[in-house]
Amino acid sequence: MRYQPAALLIFAFVFLTGTTSLFGEETGSELWFTHNALYPGNAQFCPQGIAITDEQGSVSLAGAELQSGLASLFHKTIDLHPLPQQGDVVVALGAHAIAQGWISGDEVKALGSEGFCIRQLADFDFILLTGNTPKAVLYGVFHYLRMLQTKSLSSAMLDVVQVPAYEKRVLNHWDNLDGTVEHGYAGKSIWKWDELPNKVNYRYREYARANASIGINGVVLNNVNASPQVLASGYLYKIKAIADELRPYGMQVYLSVNFASPMVLGDLPDANPQNPATVTWWQNKVADIYALIPDFGGFLVKANSEGQPGPQDYNLTHADGANM
């Protein structure tokens, strides 16, 4: 099965008498993770425990999310087992699952880098949750918890295979460096540039978790009407701090950039893509970024639109600008 991941976070508003539910005060900040208040679990589907087979710890985050989610759903402590036991959910990278004979190599190969499989194995009497990368396994964990929460599991044998239809699933922020948001109607920017990189807000990790839970794997941090200052050295260290918070949940960072940045930051006479000095400036800037953020996603450029600078200022095409 191929799926198209959601592009929006959907907020559910539950109207209650008073301000407190049976499970304590709800602020909405937990989104769909508020398992108890919205979707109580069904005890017949509660696993006996969790077995995490990855010795290197690369799927430990997925295991932690699974353990806490199950505990919240079923109001009980879910034990971690060093080896798979009857009735467990077994979290494993694809290579290990193949080696144990739990799934075929062809099936795992078909999952790619972000697809996952959730399968009840009758011969072993446990549920296998696997993917080829830690973020694929994490996506599988969130899907499994969502199925439990919405009671979409049945007593039939569980067999779910999902592979993303799109490789890049990116949110585009229109946030400015002064904390405002262009066309933003929900308050100020989540990115606190004045505090970074020394102080990292806890909401960055919560933001990454919420996005990963619906399959979002990238974010453009700033407005397409970009300030050249976002590429200044001081800001690159701020961006690194954000990237470090988002990375565990499989999210890459992208930046909107101003085409005239070499003129503003590099004191060049122009930003002509056919000027070797311009090309060298961009090459050096990209090298600086990847030195700090090895998994940097790339640039978003609003060129020659609504008065923004671009290659057409030099009678060149957008391809000329992109390919320099």
Side-chain angles (χ1 to χ4, degrees), residues 9-320:
L9 293 176
I10 300 174
F11 292 82
F13 293 89
V14 180
F15 295 92
L16 302 171
T17 303
T19 60
T20 304
S21 75
L22 294 175
F23 304 98
E25 185 175 352
E26 298 296 344
T27 66
S29 64
E30 282 291 293
L31 306 177
W32 75 271
F33 298 115
T34 309
H35 303 300
N36 288 337
L38 299 180
Y39 301 104
N42 188 329
Q44 78 177 98
F45 296 111
C46 181
Q48 296 300 309
I50 301 169
I52 302 174
T53 63
D54 174 29
E55 296 180 355
Q56 303 302 317
S58 63
V59 295
S60 59
L61 178 60
E65 288 286 356
L66 180 59
Q67 186 180 29
S68 64
L70 290 173
S72 178
L73 277 167
F74 297 109
H75 295 209
K76 61 179 292 187
T77 300
I78 307 297
D79 294 329
L80 289 176
H81 298 152
L83 296 173
Q85 298 184 20
Q86 181 180 4
D88 279 358
V89 175
V90 178
V91 179
L93 287 175
H96 184 82
I98 295 171
Q100 297 299 314
W102 297 335
I103 191 171
S104 74
D106 288 343
E107 288 179 294
V108 170
K109 182 179 179 181
L111 296 176
S113 64
E114 294 190 317
F116 59 83
C117 175
I118 308 170
R119 180 171 296 166
Q120 188 168 349
L121 303 181
D123 291 344
F124 299 93
D125 198 17
F126 59 68
I127 293 173
L128 173 66
L129 198 161
T130 189
N132 286 313
T133 61
K135 62 180 174 180
V137 175
L138 183 63
Y139 294 152
V141 164
F142 286 132
H143 186 82
Y144 176 64
L145 290 174
R146 191 156 41 238
M147 292 178 71
L148 287 169
Q149 188 184 69
T150 56
K151 298 183 181 179
S152 58
L153 287 179
S154 68
S155 58
M157 296 295 284
L158 178 63
D159 191 359
V160 176
V161 175
Q162 292 204 1
V163 179
Y166 300 101
E167 180 181 354
K168 304 295 185 182
R169 305 177 299 277
V170 182
L171 291 184
N172 181 14
H173 282 242
W174 278 29
D175 296 26
N176 299 312
L177 300 186
D178 64 0
T180 61
V181 181
E182 186 170 340
H183 301 310
Y185 307 103
K188 294 185 177 180
S189 170
I190 188 176
W191 318 122
K192 298 184 180 300
W193 297 109
D194 56 333
E195 298 179 354
L196 291 163
N198 297 322
K199 182 179 179 181
V200 179
N201 194 283
Y202 73 94
R203 295 180 68 197
Y204 304 158
R205 189 66 63 97
E206 290 189 349
Y207 169 89
R209 179 182 182 229
N211 277 291
S213 77
I214 58 170
I216 299 296
N217 64 4
V219 55
V220 184
L221 297 178
N222 60 317
N223 188 0
V224 292
N225 298 310
S227 166
Q229 294 303 316
V230 76
L231 292 178
S233 295
Y235 273 96
L236 293 184
Y237 283 95
K238 297 172 186 285
I239 294 160
K240 177 188 182 302
I242 296 175
D244 289 345
E245 292 296 296
L246 306 190
R247 185 176 298 109
Y249 283 93
M251 291 192 73
Q252 287 181 284
V253 164
Y254 297 73
L255 291 177
S256 291
V257 294
N258 188 297
F259 197 82
S261 295
M263 301 170 63
V264 178
L265 299 178
D267 294 326
L268 297 183
D270 59 52
N272 189 331
Q274 294 185 345
N275 181 347
T278 300
V279 175
T280 298
W281 188 90
W282 280 110
Q283 290 177 339
N284 291 337
K285 183 58 65 174
V286 168
D288 290 343
I289 294 172
Y290 277 105
L292 292 173
I293 310 169
D295 58 346
F296 177 66
F299 293 142
L300 172 63
V301 186
K302 181 181 179 182
N304 292 118
S305 173
E306 297 182 318
Q308 293 295 310
Q312 292 178 356
D313 296 351
Y314 308 97
N315 296 317
L316 299 173
T317 67
H318 288 309
D320 294 323

